[in-house]
Amino acid sequence: MTHSRLARLALVPLDQPEQFSDALWSRLRREAQEAYVASPMLAPLFFDSILNQPNFEAAVFHRIAARLKNDVIPLSLIVRAFHRARIAEPAIAEALKADISAVFERDPACERLIEPFLYFKGFHAIQAHRLNHWLWYRHERDFALFLQSRSSEIFQTDIHPAAHIGQGVFLDHATGLVVGETAVIEDDVSLLQDVTLGGTGKEAGDRHPKVRRGAMIGAGAKILGNIEVGENARVAAGSVVLRDVPAYSTVAGVPAKVVRTATPDEPSRGMDQELSDLFYTSFSWTI
């Protein structure tokens, strides 16, 4: 987890990650208690998801499982799978804390931690993928594909279980997101709705994009093929990207072209989709 994310949450000193985890859980419980007082008709949601859970990780696992369960796969089986994954890969627990912190930091519509925890399907879709990814590489592929199918149905995202996703990733709205099998999304990336990280249809093997740390992908952007979106790069909404995007650059258009070569640091945090910092000359772009 980055220092800026911890600082903006203003929970504990930056050099005390264990206390941060405790403070995160305490804050979420306090918000659940306040929400229960304000909306007692939702008591089962607040108690089952948060107030009756032993810790933050268990609460997240229960909440995601409650959304994915159906007549074929019960909640308890999904929860057990999450706990198996956490024991085998402790980084999963750290990743989910980084992800919820990313939402709280970057989404101006998010005023409480309880909001992404209970309601935001982008946060839920990433956590479901973390379990699916672990199952996939544990050779429990049918279970992974079943849960991926459920996740696609419930969260309106289609993320292949084999795709690699880092920590602190923010899916804003998330609806319509498609991520292919060999795609890579590194830490601290932000993606908006209707983004495609897909293939060209003419490739085999490693055929999907690699999105490097700190990049921001605008709404409706299509990034196709085994190409790289460089560190802290920015892809404007509606762009179709068919070639590598240099680090710290901004691309826009169909097909996308470089319109700036010195994008400010961490566009994934700034979330500027208007490209208002660009100087337009004799041309204009439809963003």
Side-chain angles (χ1 to χ4, degrees):
M1 252 177 273
T2 66
H3 279 191
S4 66
R5 185 177 306 116
L6 293 177
R8 293 181 192 187
L9 277 170
L11 290 171
V12 295
L14 303 180
D15 59 352
Q16 300 178 31
E18 291 183 3
Q19 289 189 31
F20 168 74
S21 181
D22 292 340
L24 185 72
W25 179 230
S26 295
R27 179 168 179 163
L28 189 63
R29 286 181 58 83
R30 182 174 68 252
E31 290 182 357
Q33 291 164 351
E34 293 168 352
Y36 166 64
V37 172
S39 302
M41 75 290 293
L42 295 177
L45 175 64
F46 302 135
F47 279 88
D48 291 347
S49 300
I50 300 172
L51 296 175
N52 287 341
Q53 296 299 322
N55 55 52
F56 181 75
E57 293 88 345
V60 173
F61 300 157
H62 184 278
R63 179 58 184 151
I64 305 306
R67 298 202 68 182
L68 292 176
K69 68 178 177 66
N70 65 4
D71 293 340
V72 176
I73 301 294
L75 182 149
S76 59
L77 183 59
I78 302 172
V79 167
R80 286 199 299 272
F82 265 119
H83 283 290
R84 286 196 290 126
R86 180 188 59 80
I87 292 169
E89 297 288 343
I92 289 175
E94 294 306 311
L96 65 88
K97 296 168 193 172
D99 294 339
I100 200 168
S101 300
V103 180
F104 188 83
E105 175 191 359
R106 301 175 208 170
D107 189 346
C110 180
E111 298 181 353
R112 302 172 298 162
L113 287 173
I114 199 174
E115 292 166 7
F117 180 91
L118 287 179
Y119 310 121
F120 289 9
K121 63 181 183 290
F123 173 69
H124 294 167
I126 294 177
Q127 308 326 310
H129 171 73
R130 297 199 187 284
L131 173 58
N132 298 340
H133 184 78
W134 182 80
L135 291 168
W136 182 265
Y137 286 102
R138 290 277 297 184
H139 304 293
E140 298 182 48
R141 294 194 169 186
D142 285 308
F143 195 5
L145 289 169
F146 180 87
L147 291 178
Q148 185 274 336
S149 177
R150 283 289 295 163
S151 180
S152 179
E153 177 184 354
I154 301 301
F155 305 136
Q156 301 172 0
T157 61
D158 192 347
I159 307 173
H160 194 283
H164 292 267
I165 298 182
Q167 299 186 10
V169 174
F170 173 39
L171 305 185
D172 193 9
H173 300 292
T175 301
L177 175 76
V178 176
V179 179
E181 178 183 13
T182 60
V184 174
I185 301 171
E186 292 187 346
D187 295 350
D188 298 317
V189 168
S190 292
L191 305 98
L192 284 94
Q193 70 271 18
D194 202 31
V195 166
T196 297
L197 304 181
T200 64
K202 299 180 180 180
E203 300 171 290
D206 191 356
R207 60 196 183 279
H208 297 109
K210 313 298 182 279
V211 182
R212 301 308 181 191
R213 180 188 300 268
M216 190 201 76
I217 313 299
K222 312 300 177 189
I223 304 173
L224 304 176
N226 184 17
I227 60 177
E228 181 170 303
V229 177
E231 182 176 350
N232 287 309
R234 181 169 56 168
V235 177
S239 299
V240 177
V241 183
L242 302 174
R243 294 185 295 181
D244 289 347
V245 178
Y248 292 93
S249 68
T250 298
V251 299
V254 181
K257 299 178 181 179
V258 175
V259 296
R260 179 169 181 163
T261 57
T263 296
D265 288 352
E266 300 184 314
S268 64
R269 288 192 166 84
M271 297 296 291
D272 179 10
Q273 298 182 73
E274 295 183 353
L275 307 190
S276 56
D277 55 338
L278 292 178
F279 177 73
Y280 293 85
T281 54
S282 59
F283 59 86
S284 62
W285 298 95
T286 300
I287 305 301

